[in-house]
Amino acid sequence: MKPSFNRRKFLQTAALSGAGLWTGPKLLASADLPFSHPDLGKSKWDLDTPALCLDLDKLDHNLKAASIPLQGSGVGLRPHVKTHKCPDLARMQIAHGALGVCAAKLSESEVMLENGINDVLMTGVNVTPAKIRKAMELRKKHPGFIQAVDNPQNTRDLQEAAKAAGIVADVVVDIDVIRRSGIPAGQPALELAQLVDKSPNLRFRGILAYDGGVQHVMGHEARKTRCLKTFEPVVDTYHLMHAAGLNMEIFSGGGTGTYDMMHGIPGFTDVQVGSYLFMDCQYLEIGGAKNEERFDDFEAALTVMTTVVNTNHPGRLITDGGSKAFTLNKPTGWVIGEPDFVYNAGSDEYGTITYNDASRSYKVGDPLEVIVPHCDPAVNLYDIIYGIRKDRVERIFPVLARGKSQ
Amino acid sequence: MKPSFNRRKFLQTAALSGAGLWTGPKLLASADLPFSHPDLGKSKWDLDTPALCLDLDKLDHNLKAASIPLQGSGVGLRPHVKTHKCPDLARMQIAHGALGVCAAKLSESEVMLENGINDVLMTGVNVTPAKIRKAMELRKKHPGFIQAVDNPQNTRDLQEAAKAAGIVADVVVDIDVIRRSGIPAGQPALELAQLVDKSPNLRFRGILAYDGGVQHVMGHEARKTRCLKTFEPVVDTYHLMHAAGLNMEIFSGGGTGTYDMMHGIPGFTDVQVGSYLFMDCQYLEIGGAKNEERFDDFEAALTVMTTVVNTNHPGRLITDGGSKAFTLNKPTGWVIGEPDFVYNAGSDEYGTITYNDASRSYKVGDPLEVIVPHCDPAVNLYDIIYGIRKDRVERIFPVLARGKSQ
């Protein structure tokens, strides 16, 4: 596959791009305290590979950039920690004004709550007795924990468990947008919200709706049109609930692809951005408001360092980064500085690069820096993320919720 | 996609199939000693999901079955731990007669060597100064550690590092079969072997060659034909080396798909089986010597338990097992007992099942048991594997080398 012009131009310049937009003072969170690790201070080019790296200047840019289009709108950010799985990064997001965070799963929520992140909206549902019991224990300990429901029986189960735990648990109703999670919009959603609202041990806090299919629509205008169209039944549901006198303090949805499109929606309170923090090949391709060719509102901060292990065939480099380092997501990784390289991570242990043109010759042992195909599942493969500033390891982010898919 | 007849028939009967072939005494390795875990004794149907499970009766069958076609041939097994990443399972493989194990990466080798697995052949190459230094430290401590090389410069680097470490390090030459790792067969391989052999601090032990592309060829006869044809240049290289008076005590290659095809090859010593221990959808499809429709030499022992979380649309079930529980490998997971189910793990956090026919009706909270698409990268997502006997958790396998892709 020939790389598109968009990708080509981007990869030629990515190595040079800085994150010069913001120069405000650095916020020090508790996790900025020294964390001992033998790789601190090391050049990223000397790291044992595959290694997952996060450029801290680009991270700083991304932390700030997501709020810009929302300023003055009253709409905030509730970043999704499923992307990074690091309490340290959640802490930085909150320090930059996030209303709290979202988490996909109960075990992931627990890691956040137990590591100092007080406000966690769990977007998935808990449906087994064990999970529901545990969720209520967590809520008892952490008043900022909010759970989602999407069916009446589950609501009754939550009510019973909250009662048994002696608490009033906070609940949002998840509205179905892409036939995945959620209750159908309109009357079924209204009735479910009313069921929550009248449950003595549940407190109805509002709604969430995730339009997953819209996030990667190519082109900002096309994406915005589809985003607002897709969201119409959800907005109608919001109005229904509002008219019924329900508490609508949370109306959460969207993501990185639609972060600058939803703040005009009546009652909408916050965007569940996730990938904006890191970026990846999937998002870089979709185009943004300022640049239809590349979505450059955010910087590509997350990369994998990999090493060339075999050069025995012309036009072909073998690396030590396969699917266990990148996942099988498409488009596959982009090698920074090498727009003609096509990276195939189809083998578990090896990457295979094919190319016609290279900026230089490569030999066995040379490191390469590669933007990941899809950040969320790639991060889930690593125990730590190296925080890099000016090519040096400045800090370590333990991926404490890695593997927490339960 | 309509499931094939092969898959259909298999999934209808898989729930019923036992592993009755073998009834020998159970081997107790050190890791069989009590390992405290709150889920011990629990039914697999009550596990918090997604959960990775290994049926111990089927495991016992697989541990024994791989040796059957090799009996009397003088060819042994050198199982690849990249598949399971568990020292406990490596120990069981050795207790069942394996010559030692293979490991893909240095960090993986280290976990094995430091956890009581004495004989580790690392099939990948170490090419950076840091990795080479560490490899020699490991070799100094563990005489059973054997490393691969596939180029002359790397051989000189290994020689220098071995000399600096004050050891003679054991080395095999990796022969290129699929243009991935390895040195081209024939004269280049011979010269590399001779370079190793004459390096004072290296000990040439033989060759390895992995024919990755052959493993999943459909149909036993077609696969065998291609396997032997593909291996011809490697066999010629073996003869060249043998005639040159080199030590050929190791001639290692093959995998689960060709485990019963290579013991007639002159000088061949051991098969690098990996997936045979677990099986997965990719291997079940290829057909075996006894059953051209299904490769049933080994039992499908590895499954993921997942839970239905949404049933709001007819012909559609949403589960809590997405790509972070299964990977994106194809064919996607097979739901045991439900041949008409098509499982899509394309979402990170959710699985989507579409179907026309179901054996029963499903409700939110119901558990499902799913055979994984591709075992190696799926195991790499989990911290533990539940060892299940008669549906109960009998033991826990910590996946100590999970994420060890360095």
Side-chain angles (χ1 to χ4, degrees):
Chain A
M1 192 194 70
K2 199 73 185 164
S4 66
F5 176 71
N6 174 15
R7 181 188 142 188
R8 174 173 289 275
K9 197 167 66 179
F10 170 68
L11 288 178
Q12 276 163 341
T13 58
L16 308 171
S17 78
L21 240 175
W22 294 90
T23 52
K26 292 210 173 65
L27 283 160
L28 283 180
S30 64
D32 285 291
L33 298 173
F35 178 94
S36 173
H37 193 282
D39 290 331
L40 284 171
K42 203 178 263 190
S43 163
K44 72 178 176 186
W45 301 103
D46 293 332
L47 289 173
D48 194 20
T49 61
L52 188 64
C53 293
L54 176 59
D55 184 289
L56 295 173
D57 287 326
K58 294 178 179 175
L59 171 71
D60 287 345
H61 169 86
N62 296 345
L63 279 165
K64 293 163 186 162
S67 301
I68 300 175
L70 308 179
Q71 275 160 11
S73 72
V75 167
L77 299 176
R78 200 183 302 264
H80 219 310
V81 302
K82 68 180 180 178
T83 301
H84 58 67
K85 292 181 172 276
C86 300
D88 289 352
L89 287 168
R91 203 171 288 115
M92 293 169 85
Q93 291 173 315
I94 288 165
H96 279 82
L99 307 174
V101 297
C102 296
K105 301 292 182 87
L106 186 62
S107 57
E108 195 173 78
S109 303
E110 184 181 23
V111 169
M112 293 295 147
L113 292 164
E114 297 289 337
N115 283 280
I117 310 304
N118 298 324
D119 295 296
V120 177
L121 170 62
M122 182 180 157
T123 56
V125 291
N126 295 309
V127 299
T128 60
K131 270 207 171 84
I132 293 171
R133 200 163 44 238
K134 187 174 166 184
M136 291 306 165
E137 284 164 20
L138 270 182
R139 171 58 188 78
K140 192 166 188 171
K141 200 169 162 192
H142 303 284
F145 181 44
I146 305 171
Q147 301 165 61
V149 284
D150 67 0
N151 79 69
Q153 182 54 49
N154 189 225
T155 306
R156 289 186 283 270
D157 294 342
L158 291 188
Q159 157 59 28
E160 197 177 310
K163 189 178 174 188
I167 57 170
V168 176
D170 297 80
V171 168
V172 290
V173 165
D174 180 17
I175 313 285
D176 184 351
V177 183
I178 51 170
R179 292 161 38 92
R180 197 170 66 184
S181 70
I183 182 129
Q187 200 59 27
L190 174 65
E191 286 169 15
L192 183 62
Q194 288 170 325
L195 178 63
V196 173
D197 189 51
K198 76 176 189 202
S199 300
N201 293 84
L202 303 180
R203 181 182 297 114
F204 180 71
R205 298 285 301 273
I207 57 175
L208 70 89
Y210 183 60
D211 46 347
V214 175
Q215 299 303 318
H216 291 90
V217 169
M218 295 285 181
H220 191 267
E221 273 311 299
R223 193 160 67 252
K224 186 171 181 179
T225 303
R226 182 143 157 222
C227 165
L228 297 178
K229 180 77 189 160
T230 305
F231 230 61
E232 277 173 11
V234 183
V235 177
D236 293 345
T237 306
Y238 166 81
H239 287 303
L240 269 180
M241 291 181 179
H242 191 263
L246 289 161
N247 170 28
M248 300 306 292
E249 66 182 291
I250 295 175
F251 182 4
S252 183
T256 296
T258 59
Y259 87 107
D260 58 348
M261 300 173 179
M262 305 180 75
H263 47 283
I265 292 173
F268 192 73
T269 57
D270 57 86
V271 193
Q272 296 174 6
V273 283
S275 304
Y276 82 107
L277 203 62
F278 295 151
M279 292 302 282
D280 56 28
C281 304
Q282 289 188 348
Y283 267 119
L284 286 165
E285 285 197 330
I286 65 170
K290 294 170 291 180
N291 183 345
E292 275 292 326
E293 281 203 341
R294 174 160 75 89
F295 188 27
D296 59 4
D297 298 26
F298 309 107
E299 307 246 7
L302 191 79
T303 53
V304 168
M305 303 303 300
T306 182
T307 300
V308 176
V309 295
N310 190 300
T311 60
N312 283 337
H313 298 275
R316 194 174 174 91
L317 299 172
I318 307 299
T319 75
D320 63 359
S323 77
K324 288 180 183 173
F326 285 99
T327 75
L328 290 176
N329 288 88
K330 300 284 173 76
T332 56
W334 296 352
V335 182
I336 291 182
E338 296 292 359
D340 195 57
F341 281 19
V342 176
Y343 197 109
N344 180 338
S347 294
D348 295 339
E349 315 290 350
Y350 293 100
T352 300
I353 292 167
T354 49
Y355 65 96
N356 294 308
D357 303 312
S359 72
R360 63 182 191 88
S361 69
Y362 287 91
K363 61 182 196 311
V364 167
D366 284 344
L368 294 171
E369 184 169 16
V370 187
I371 300 171
V372 302
H374 178 22
C375 53
D376 304 39
V379 169
N380 192 46
L381 299 170
Y382 291 88
D383 290 314
I384 60 166
I385 306 175
Y386 290 100
I388 307 288
R389 190 151 358 232
K390 310 223 180 304
D391 282 6
R392 296 264 158 203
V393 178
E394 183 177 297
R395 63 181 290 180
I396 304 285
F397 298 96
V399 189
L400 293 185
R402 186 212 48 73
K404 298 295 182 191
S405 301
Q406 291 73 34
Chain B
M1 192 194 70
K2 201 72 187 165
S4 67
F5 175 69
N6 173 14
R7 182 188 143 191
R8 176 173 288 276
K9 198 167 66 179
F10 170 66
L11 289 176
Q12 277 164 341
T13 57
L16 308 171
S17 77
L21 240 175
W22 296 90
T23 51
K26 292 212 172 66
L27 284 159
L28 282 179
S30 66
D32 284 291
L33 297 172
F35 177 95
S36 173
H37 193 284
D39 290 331
L40 285 171
K42 201 178 264 191
S43 164
K44 72 178 177 186
W45 302 102
D46 293 332
L47 289 173
D48 194 20
T49 61
L52 189 64
C53 292
L54 175 59
D55 185 288
L56 296 174
D57 286 326
K58 293 179 179 173
L59 171 72
D60 287 344
H61 169 86
N62 296 344
L63 279 166
K64 294 164 187 162
S67 302
I68 300 175
L70 309 178
Q71 276 161 10
S73 71
V75 167
L77 299 176
R78 199 183 305 262
H80 218 310
V81 302
K82 67 179 181 180
T83 301
H84 58 68
K85 290 179 173 279
C86 299
D88 289 352
L89 287 168
R91 202 169 290 114
M92 293 168 86
Q93 290 173 316
I94 289 166
H96 279 82
L99 307 175
V101 298
C102 295
K105 301 291 182 88
L106 186 62
S107 57
E108 196 173 79
S109 303
E110 184 181 22
V111 169
M112 293 296 148
L113 292 164
E114 298 288 334
N115 283 278
I117 309 305
N118 298 323
D119 294 296
V120 177
L121 169 62
M122 181 179 158
T123 57
V125 291
N126 295 309
V127 298
T128 60
K131 270 206 170 86
I132 293 172
R133 202 163 42 239
K134 188 174 167 183
M136 292 306 165
E137 284 164 20
L138 271 180
R139 171 59 187 77
K140 192 165 187 171
K141 201 169 161 193
H142 303 285
F145 180 45
I146 305 171
Q147 302 165 60
V149 284
D150 66 0
N151 79 69
Q153 182 54 49
N154 190 226
T155 305
R156 289 187 284 270
D157 294 343
L158 291 188
Q159 156 60 28
E160 198 178 312
K163 188 179 174 186
I167 57 170
V168 175
D170 297 80
V171 168
V172 290
V173 165
D174 180 17
I175 313 284
D176 184 351
V177 183
I178 51 170
R179 291 161 38 93
R180 197 171 66 183
S181 70
I183 182 128
Q187 199 60 26
L190 173 64
E191 286 170 15
L192 183 62
Q194 287 170 326
L195 178 62
V196 173
D197 190 51
K198 76 177 188 202
S199 300
N201 294 84
L202 302 180
R203 182 182 297 115
F204 180 71
R205 298 285 300 273
I207 57 175
L208 71 88
Y210 183 60
D211 47 347
V214 175
Q215 298 305 316
H216 290 91
V217 170
M218 296 283 181
H220 191 267
E221 273 312 298
R223 194 159 66 251
K224 185 170 183 179
T225 303
R226 183 146 155 220
C227 165
L228 297 178
K229 179 78 190 161
T230 304
F231 230 61
E232 278 174 10
V234 183
V235 178
D236 292 346
T237 306
Y238 165 82
H239 286 304
L240 268 180
M241 291 180 179
H242 191 262
L246 289 162
N247 170 28
M248 300 305 293
E249 67 183 289
I250 296 176
F251 182 4
S252 182
T256 297
T258 58
Y259 86 107
D260 57 348
M261 300 172 180
M262 306 180 76
H263 47 283
I265 293 173
F268 192 73
T269 57
D270 57 86
V271 192
Q272 297 175 5
V273 284
S275 304
Y276 82 107
L277 203 61
F278 295 151
M279 291 303 282
D280 56 29
C281 304
Q282 290 187 348
Y283 267 119
L284 286 165
E285 284 196 332
I286 65 170
K290 294 169 292 179
N291 183 345
E292 274 293 324
E293 282 204 340
R294 176 159 74 89
F295 188 27
D296 58 5
D297 297 27
F298 308 108
E299 306 246 5
L302 191 78
T303 53
V304 167
M305 302 302 300
T306 182
T307 300
V308 176
V309 295
N310 190 300
T311 59
N312 283 337
H313 298 275
R316 194 173 174 92
L317 300 173
I318 308 298
T319 74
D320 63 359
S323 77
K324 289 179 183 172
F326 285 100
T327 75
L328 290 175
N329 287 88
K330 300 283 175 73
T332 57
W334 296 352
V335 182
I336 291 181
E338 296 292 359
D340 195 57
F341 281 19
V342 176
Y343 198 109
N344 181 337
S347 295
D348 295 339
E349 314 291 349
Y350 294 100
T352 300
I353 292 167
T354 49
Y355 65 96
N356 293 308
D357 302 313
S359 73
R360 64 182 190 88
S361 69
Y362 286 92
K363 62 181 196 308
V364 167
D366 284 344
L368 295 170
E369 184 169 17
V370 186
I371 300 171
V372 302
H374 178 22
C375 52
D376 303 39
V379 169
N380 191 46
L381 299 170
Y382 291 87
D383 290 315
I384 58 166
I385 305 174
Y386 290 101
I388 307 289
R389 191 155 352 236
K390 311 225 178 304
D391 281 7
R392 298 264 157 200
V393 178
E394 183 176 296
R395 62 181 291 180
I396 305 285
F397 298 95
V399 190
L400 293 185
R402 186 212 49 73
K404 299 295 182 191
S405 300
Q406 293 73 34

